[in-house]
Amino acid sequence: MTQLTSREFNQDTSGAKKAAENGPVYITDRGRPAHVLLTFDAYEELIGPHRALDLLAEPIGVADVEFVAPKKPDVAQPVVFE
């Protein structure tokens, strides 16, 4: 586990990225954990095979639903101010 202050992170971002190759890097703000830096591979492993965006993109059964948007017969008229 690596821990850096916000100042250390800002001064050596490259070092923080290298440290993240070995595990999470905890970044503190005023002595309290504020952020965690992970490699993308570690992040993907953390969230698992089902990413939220993928699940929203193709919900199960959507291909079977046919949707036809209704057309409005009335047309908006311009406003006349008197």
Side-chain angles (χ1 to χ4, degrees):
M1 177 182 99
T2 303
Q3 183 171 320
L4 301 172
T5 65
S6 292
R7 178 176 284 185
E8 290 170 332
F9 174 75
N10 287 334
Q11 292 175 348
D12 190 14
T13 306
S14 178
K17 289 177 6 181
K18 287 178 186 171
E21 294 291 332
N22 299 319
V25 176
Y26 298 91
I27 303 166
T28 61
D29 190 11
R30 299 180 187 183
R32 298 184 61 196
H35 303 280
V36 179
L37 179 66
L38 302 169
T39 62
F40 191 74
D41 289 339
Y43 170 73
E44 283 190 318
E45 185 177 320
L46 180 67
I47 63 170
H50 301 291
R51 297 172 62 188
L53 190 56
D54 293 338
L55 294 173
L56 291 172
E58 294 184 30
I60 296 171
V62 167
D64 302 334
V65 176
E66 193 171 313
F67 175 76
V68 178
K71 295 188 179 193
K72 300 269 297 172
D74 54 336
V75 178
Q77 300 296 319
V79 176
V80 178
F81 294 102
E82 296 179 21

